[in-house]
Amino acid sequence: MAEHAAEELWDTIDLLHAWLDAHRAHDSREDLLLRMLKLSEEVGEVAQAVIGATGHNPRKGASHTWDDVRSELCDVVITALVALRTLTPDAREVFTAHLAGVTRRSLGTAGTP
């Protein structure tokens, strides 16, 4: 079941990547740079949502919820995966290998699936 979900995820990332390519407004180098910068925008939206969820801005008060934070975090992940796919058609393999390396470093070989 987990493998099916992973395949579905990467199939969707491929579709989003293709959709963005079909609708790009700039040449490929500029588009590549803008997709990388999009990550910063999305991370900023996470920060804005956290500030809003905690009511840290006295002028705005509680302007967001923790559901908003979760949603913004999902946008960061999606944007990062599409950016990775933009850099390489082997994005799923690159990500899987990198995740395995982080898992080994963090959890040791016992945590490796």
Side-chain angles (χ1 to χ4, degrees), residues 28-108:
S28 60
R29 180 171 171 80
E30 213 172 308
D31 187 62
L32 172 68
L33 297 174
L34 290 169
R35 284 195 197 168
M36 300 306 130
L37 288 175
K38 180 72 174 159
L39 278 168
S40 293
E41 178 189 8
E42 295 297 342
V43 169
E45 290 175 8
V46 171
Q48 182 180 23
V50 169
I51 289 168
T54 59
H56 192 69
N57 183 340
R59 185 174 53 81
K60 293 183 179 179
S63 59
H64 291 75
T65 66
W66 289 105
D67 283 340
D68 294 326
V69 175
R70 285 187 283 274
S71 178
E72 296 299 343
L73 285 169
C74 289
D75 287 348
V76 169
V77 172
I78 293 164
T79 302
L81 293 177
V82 170
L84 180 61
R85 174 59 186 84
T86 299
L87 289 175
T88 178
D90 300 324
R92 68 182 80 193
E93 291 82 7
V94 169
F95 181 79
T96 300
H98 188 79
L99 180 60
V102 169
T103 302
R104 276 191 307 279
R105 286 192 309 275
S106 302
L107 304 176

